[in-house]
Amino acid sequence: MPELPEVETVVRGLVDDLVGTTAVEASISWHKVLGGMSLSEFNETIRGRKITAMFRRGKYICIECSGVYLVIHLRMTGRLYLSDAAEGEDKWVRFTLALDNGKNLAFSDARKFGRVLLTRSLDFLEEKLGPEPLTLKPADFIQILKGSSRAVKVFLLDQKKIAGVGNIYADESLHKAGIKPGRPTNKLRVAEREKLGACIQESLQAAIDHEGASISWYRKPDGGRGESQEHFLVYGRGGEPCYTCGTPITKIVLGQRGTHYCHKCQT
DNA sequence: CGTGGGACCTGAACGC
DNA sequence: TGCGTTCAGGTCCCAC
């Protein structure tokens, strides 16, 4: 699923129910989900720890458990939700963490790309992630977006530069900013960089307000669908008319990712 | 430093 | 109905 708005929605939907509970026992149905740690080591580390906080960093979900961190990445098809111990209809559940209130934190992931890591430090995240886009100021975007010859669309997907923007919201933001995705980042004028920053924030915030995009796999923790997909301007609209000028939306491949834009509105 | 390709995985959609 | 192909919100790794 998951870009920043979807991950943020998952965190908001679970934080109140999770914080204050205590981890009892984890179980897995696919060993690689723990990223190399054995289930026994995982359980020895987390058993009996109270969940003290839950937050998002980039596209990662961080659950602090009294000094250690459960770090979850949903990748393409991950879902995170609370279930009653009796339930078992989801055939893609790869990990569950039993809690002391009788609920289970379930991680479901059809494609097995996602991971549930247990770590004593979040330093590794800070090493691979750039700043959070929602708290950046115009001057920060102007600075960050300069000095790269890469196509701006590809640049936006680099988590080391800005954390949390993915394929959907990169396309949406560039459309709102009126910038063609293939433009070299270092050819953008200052005003365009500032505009792009503002459009990134606008796109992400609107998507959070719409509780994420349920195109295929993504669901909120309560099982409901987000509505962000109802508001896409270009993503997934190849061949359909631009809402602004009627020109058919162009779809190309950039950085090996499907890329959508309006040839007329974006320059 | 940047790019392109492939790997990791499975399911849904589509063409025949 | 069934089979083959293509594509998918992400990230990592390697060759050039």
Side-chain angles (χ1 to χ4, degrees):
Chain A
M1 42 172 182
E3 300 186 30
L4 185 155
E6 288 75 30
V7 178
E8 179 68 24
T9 303
V10 170
V11 169
R12 290 184 185 186
L14 289 173
V15 59
D16 289 344
D17 288 330
L18 278 181
V19 172
T21 65
T22 296
V24 175
E25 187 85 9
S27 61
I28 58 176
S29 63
W30 186 61
H31 74 285
K32 288 186 180 178
V33 72
L34 298 183
M37 183 180 282
S38 70
L39 180 60
S40 57
E41 182 186 356
F42 189 99
N43 272 319
E44 284 161 22
T45 305
I46 201 165
R47 192 178 290 127
R49 288 187 190 261
K50 177 178 275 194
I51 296 178
T52 46
M54 180 178 191
F55 53 92
R56 177 193 59 73
R57 177 73 175 93
K59 300 173 191 171
Y60 290 83
I61 295 164
C62 304
I63 301 174
E64 184 175 5
C65 308
S66 305
V68 302
Y69 298 89
L70 213 47
V71 178
I72 301 167
H73 200 302
L74 304 166
R75 290 292 183 97
M76 300 285 266
T77 55
R79 294 174 176 172
L80 193 66
Y81 57 90
L82 282 168
S83 71
D84 295 318
E87 292 182 52
E89 303 180 352
D90 185 343
K91 68 187 217 186
W92 298 295
V93 172
R94 313 295 180 193
F95 167 96
T96 59
L97 179 63
L99 305 169
D100 66 343
N101 63 0
K103 299 278 190 178
N104 286 326
L105 178 66
F107 174 69
S108 163
D109 182 24
R111 285 180 75 177
K112 297 182 176 175
F113 284 172
R115 294 292 182 268
V116 178
L117 308 176
L118 191 55
T119 176
R120 292 181 181 278
S121 165
L122 296 180
D123 288 350
F124 78 103
L125 279 188
E126 295 313 310
E127 286 166 20
K128 68 172 79 188
L129 298 179
E132 286 292 321
L134 290 176
T135 52
L136 289 176
K137 295 182 166 49
D140 298 326
F141 282 110
I142 292 171
Q143 177 66 28
I144 290 169
L145 293 170
K146 81 178 185 190
S148 171
S149 61
R150 303 156 79 186
V152 60
K153 157 72 183 278
V154 176
F155 185 95
L156 292 181
L157 295 181
D158 185 344
Q159 302 300 295
K160 183 90 185 169
K161 304 298 183 186
I162 298 174
V165 178
N167 207 36
I168 293 174
Y169 302 108
D171 283 3
E172 293 294 302
S173 301
L174 286 164
H175 179 74
K176 286 193 187 205
I179 298 170
K180 275 200 171 68
R183 293 262 304 278
T185 314
N186 59 13
K187 294 285 178 56
L188 300 181
R189 294 182 293 276
V190 171
E192 288 178 315
R193 284 183 252 146
E194 182 172 356
K195 170 88 170 172
L196 179 54
C199 291
I200 289 170
Q201 292 185 330
E202 192 181 313
S203 298
L204 295 176
Q205 188 57 57
I208 290 172
D209 294 342
H210 294 129
E211 301 182 295
S214 290
I215 298 174
S216 60
W217 290 91
Y218 164 72
R219 293 296 182 277
K220 297 186 287 177
D222 68 7
R225 307 172 74 99
E227 298 178 349
S228 175
Q229 68 281 2
E230 320 271 335
H231 304 270
F232 289 167
L233 301 175
V234 290
Y235 183 84
R237 300 194 61 244
E240 296 173 36
C242 171
Y243 292 128
T244 301
C245 72
T247 302
I249 298 300
T250 302
K251 181 177 181 185
I252 62 171
V253 175
L254 253 188
Q256 302 167 121
R257 312 297 301 279
T259 297
H260 318 71
Y261 67 99
C262 174
H263 184 74
K264 186 174 176 188
C265 293
Q266 296 173 246
T267 58

